[in-house]
Amino acid sequence: MTTRPRSLGTTALALRLHALRGTTTYFAYLAPRAAIARTLAELRDDLDAYADDEGPITIADASSAGAAVLLDETCPAAADFFLLDVGAYQEADWRILDRRRSEFARTGVTVLVMTPDSFDAIMRVAPNLASWLGGNVLCHDDPALAPGQRERSLAGLREWSGKTDKEVLREAQEGRLPRDPEYAEWLMLLGRGDLLDG
Amino acid sequence: MSRMIAAEQGEGEGEDRLQRFRRWMAQLDPAGDPARAFAAGLYLSYPRAVSQRIAARLEIAPASTHLLIGGVGSGKSTELLAVKQRLARRTTDTRILYLDVSKGHDIAKVAPGVVIVQVGLALAPPEDERDEDEQYAVRTLRHLAEGYDAHPPDYDDNDGSFHVPGILHPPDRFTDEVVTARDAVQTLRGSQTNLVVLIDGLDRMTNLSAFERVVINDVAALTKDGIGVVLVGPLRSLYGIDHATTQRFDESHYQPWIDQSSSPEVSEFLQHVLRKRLPQEAIGDRELDNLAYFSGGVLRDLVALAQLACLEAYMGDSDTIGPEQVNTAIDTFGRNHMQGLRKTDLDVLERVRKTGSFVHTSDDDLALLMTRRVLEYRHDGRPRYVVHPTINQFLGDMLAETS
């Protein structure tokens, strides 16, 4: 039995974040160190897709070299969504953020993109920050990095729906695809995210 | 994705559905500002709430001092706001200040004077309403807080100035600053009959010696001038602090996690907390009860679980939060709280789960309490320990894997 946090791709995560717009919510999104910058960029693009539906959406992102710098020089951005690359954070950084949690507080949805080891550190040394994260911790499901995983995800979707890839693509092209988030993820896994705007 | 949203909006109910779920989730903000939840009328008073006792005492003795300690997510900040509300309703001659001293100041660098200086600055009227004495007092406090340039005694034009660092950063001397700040606070207090300050933010301090020095200096200085103080202290102080420090307060109060097994009234309270934020159309009573149980009586976890379940309902195209969404929320929450646990932690947790026994002899043990993997309840001052309900299901399997 695995106790790792659940996995989601950036598209599905963006849908969740979009639903939480207007709340004060903190997410931890776990990815390998080498993939963090790209993951953050993909998430930004996926969130940007909502901009036309509800008027402007403000997204701020930042790469932070350390918590002290973040707090002393960069005010938490006033934006609907704040995406923060904290891939470089060590235990000491999480201790700082934990005790200075009040300074870090902001309205809106904040996503901290970090490594799994970094999240383990939060759970050991930053109890106040961990309390804010609550259950909002997800692993990045990256089809590009793990081809085997991508195929397993597709197989799971086919089994779930009883449809083939071809059927899903045809329905999407004809505008008949159901609006379940799983179908959005399916199209992304097939590299046909363009059909989401059809 | 925009096509999916457009489809929802085109149906008419889609837009309503999204807005409805957003409204529900916004009322469940576990990391939101407690003041906002308070202002929105979402606070529910726990039976025999700590705020009731503290406010009643301050009403009679406005210069009394109180130490409030409790676990992460137990509702300490909210109880401070409740004290403020209760006192404001019952008294007309008492000014009540709420301060989070950790904002704008690193509590790892807390030194004597930090609290009293911030009390003084909070007392200051707007700049254009200050008289001469008040302007001087504020200037003094700012110098203490931020530092200033001084000259040596008997200086002449050839002597340069030197910088005296502020006490909102590590100072060299403390006592003089506290005395000076005290005078400024008295000026700014003016003719106010009673003043009570509610001090939040020090619960995250890890240096108990520094905490003790703040108590000995700042709290003592405020108390000498008849100012009531309610101060949230570090949870560690329950286990490591010198009793002489707690005895400097008239009373100490423990804000517990809520033990649902203690009485049906207590269990119902947790359900009422959620029901105040989620209508019957959103979630049924059985699911509420389930969320309440798996929260372990930790108020923030209760609200976080409910928000998670609400999000699952929205993502799964359901109009209500049902058992499946609640179970998914519990599973997700539990998984997250299993991260970072070492074999030794798992052994301790298993022992707590099987025997209820927990003896914190190390920082690692204390960390299990601080991170709410182990929950402590108290009856008549005696502790009872359980493992957080959301991680119970994973423990056995994790232990088997690590073995």
Side-chain angles (χ1 to χ4, degrees), chain B residues 341 345-353 373-374 387 395:
Chain B
L341 289 172
D345 298 326
L346 293 173
D347 291 339
V348 169
L349 291 172
E350 185 66 357
R351 190 164 59 247
V352 173
R353 188 168 75 113
R373 271 78 158 248
V374 173
V387 168
L395 264 184

Side-chain angles (χ1 to χ4, degrees), chain A residues 26-46:
Chain A
Y26 297 83
F27 265 86
Y29 196 37
L30 315 185
R33 181 76 184 267
I36 284 178
R38 180 167 56 80
T39 300
L40 205 148
E42 286 173 2
L43 184 57
R44 194 186 216 290
D45 288 343
D46 287 327

